[in-house]
Amino acid sequence: MRNFLLSFLIVLAAFVAGRYLFPAEAESAASMIDIVARNPVSDRAAKPDRVPVEDVNYAYTPEEERTIRLFEEASPAVCFITTKAIRRSFWNYGEVESGSGSGFLWDKAGHVITNFHVINGANTSAIAVTLSNGKTYNASVVGFEKEKDLAVLKIDAPAFELQPIRVGSSQSIRVGQAVYAIGNPFGLDQTLTTGVVSALDREIRSQAGVPIKGAIQTDAAINPGNSGGPLLNSDGQLIGVNTSIYSPSGASAGIGFSIPVDVVRYVVDDVIRFGEVRRPVLGVDVRQYGRIKGLIVITVDPESSAAKAGVKGLSQGQRGGYILGDVVVGINGNEIRTTSDLYLELEKYQPGESVALNLMRGDRRVDVEIRLGSTVDG
């Protein structure tokens, strides 16, 4: 016991002497002991201090920053469209989901643009449009144009929720320029893909079986569900509406097609104003037949400019057979051989314009001037 007390007194004396002789070192040691006691070495190794997220400096390239900004500014205009159709069977009758696609806001009035094939076959009272904010509205069909695979819908949503897309022009598009597609492929909303313009002036077939000329070809990934979504330039402006892909598998193969925005503009303006596209017409019913080079005039609208100009249709002979009238072979000197040729040629003009209709009447070439009518007036 005496030895234990002696040892304790020696240690205590040494500690007191150390406090007076080496005060700084003692404080440092005490601080270190306290830190280690509160933060074990094993714990510090397992849980290193973290840098606050707001202090991290993410190094985006200038190109990445432009793409991010483009998406953030344009995506609020992109919509997700779902449709339902009536299904009948022996056991039941009702609505089932028939498809989905993309679209975009055209104006503050709530007009939404998409492809005709997105809503084709759907119950027109069961079309839903979901905005980027997640809110869903029932949509009505304002009108459509099968020949251009375009449709105009309308939703009743507050103006402050509607951010229309910025509309550009297709006149200055060049092969090689960057393009951006936003849509809802496979139902995955607000998806961005990028690429370039691969080719221009492609010809594709519409839902009505007539050609759409001047389509934009791009390698930006366009998959099922992207239909009706916007194709944008690097300034975030609409330059086309994504409408179809070329793919053996049905998924993107790097060949997608978009309807040029200049076509979209005139279709949408007419549909909103008239409920349909105001297309120019000749005032005659024509058909392709056999090896005849041109389009046979079957009938002539008696109220049309063509009738006033003396264009002749088929007539019936005394024995009951038909006598050939005029054959349309051109407009303003541009050759017409098929109904597709006629359709594409008429697209160059507006209702009310005058053109020279080139005809074959028997063995003679006859040119007559006519004033183009309108599908809406008719």
Side-chain angles (χ1 to χ4, degrees):
M1 184 68 177
R2 236 186 290 174
N3 291 337
F4 173 76
L5 290 174
L6 182 61
S7 299
F8 176 75
L9 291 173
I10 293 172
V11 171
L12 180 63
F15 177 75
V16 172
R19 291 281 294 182
Y20 283 101
L21 294 175
F22 308 102
E25 287 78 355
E27 285 292 331
S28 177
S31 298
M32 287 297 295
I33 291 171
D34 181 58
I35 292 172
V36 171
R38 287 186 288 107
N39 300 280
V41 174
S42 59
D43 188 288
R44 289 175 59 80
K47 299 179 181 179
D49 293 337
R50 295 192 178 189
V51 179
V53 174
E54 59 270 17
D55 294 339
V56 176
N57 181 23
Y58 291 104
Y60 298 118
T61 67
E63 182 179 353
E64 288 174 328
E65 289 179 348
R66 284 194 297 270
T67 302
I68 292 169
R69 187 165 57 250
L70 180 148
F71 176 76
E72 291 175 346
E73 291 176 355
S75 60
V78 183
C79 312
F80 180 42
I81 298 173
T82 54
T83 61
K84 292 183 178 180
I86 300 294
R87 289 289 183 270
R88 298 179 176 86
S89 71
F90 182 80
W91 301 108
N92 58 30
Y93 169 90
E95 290 181 340
V96 296
E97 187 169 319
S98 60
S100 63
S102 304
F104 54 89
L105 293 166
W106 183 257
D107 54 29
K108 286 282 189 179
H111 290 108
V112 177
I113 313 305
T114 187
N115 282 141
F116 169 72
H117 75 257
V118 170
I119 65 165
N120 187 24
N123 181 358
T124 54
S125 63
I127 299 174
V129 173
T130 302
L131 303 179
S132 63
N133 60 11
K135 293 186 178 180
T136 299
Y137 295 91
N138 291 329
S140 58
V141 179
V142 177
F144 52 81
E145 174 69 344
K146 282 186 181 181
E147 286 78 4
K148 297 301 180 186
D149 197 12
L150 292 170
V152 181
L153 311 177
K154 191 174 188 303
I155 59 174
D156 292 323
F160 68 84
E161 290 186 1
L162 306 177
Q163 181 176 315
I165 201 133
R166 294 170 54 226
V167 181
S169 170
S170 49
Q171 294 297 317
S172 58
I173 300 174
R174 299 182 66 182
V175 173
Q177 78 174 74
V179 288
Y180 307 82
I182 303 178
N184 307 280
F186 304 107
L188 302 172
D189 64 335
Q190 297 293 303
T191 299
L192 171 71
T193 55
T194 65
V196 297
V197 173
S198 304
L200 295 171
D201 203 27
R202 294 301 196 205
E203 185 174 309
I204 58 177
R205 306 297 289 186
S206 72
Q207 291 284 303
V210 299
I212 301 176
K213 197 169 183 179
I216 303 166
Q217 181 183 326
T218 177
D219 67 348
I222 298 174
N223 288 292
N226 271 114
S227 293
L231 186 71
L232 310 171
N233 62 16
S234 56
D235 194 35
Q237 295 177 321
L238 178 74
I239 59 171
V241 176
N242 301 320
T243 188
S244 65
I245 59 175
Y246 178 82
S247 170
S249 65
S252 176
I255 302 178
F257 300 101
S258 300
I259 302 168
V261 68
D262 289 352
V263 173
V264 177
R265 186 186 287 108
Y266 92 75
V267 167
V268 171
D269 289 348
D270 271 12
V271 168
I272 291 175
R273 183 177 177 185
F274 302 110
E276 62 182 356
V277 174
R278 183 172 169 262
R279 294 192 307 274
V281 293
L282 295 173
V284 299
D285 181 24
V286 294
R287 294 286 187 276
Q288 290 178 241
Y289 182 78
R291 297 182 179 180
I292 294 178
K293 295 181 179 179
L295 301 176
I296 295 173
V297 177
I298 306 298
T299 59
V300 181
D301 181 352
E303 301 298 322
S304 68
S305 175
K308 296 173 184 176
V311 178
K312 302 179 183 297
L314 290 177
S315 59
Q316 196 165 15
Q318 294 180 349
R319 297 183 180 181
Y322 286 95
I323 300 173
L324 184 65
D326 292 333
V327 178
V328 177
V329 294
I331 295 177
N332 285 342
N334 295 316
E335 187 177 70
I336 302 294
R337 287 289 179 265
T338 66
T339 52
S340 292
D341 291 341
L342 177 62
Y343 185 88
L344 293 174
E345 185 62 28
L346 286 175
E347 278 194 340
K348 300 176 182 177
Y349 308 99
Q350 294 294 325
E353 288 189 68
S354 294
V355 298
L357 188 62
N358 312 132
L359 306 169
M360 287 300 297
R361 184 171 294 167
D363 295 330
R364 293 186 301 120
R365 166 74 176 260
V366 178
D367 297 332
V368 297
E369 185 174 335
I370 66 169
R371 182 175 176 273
L372 294 173
S374 168
T375 52
V376 173
D377 295 339

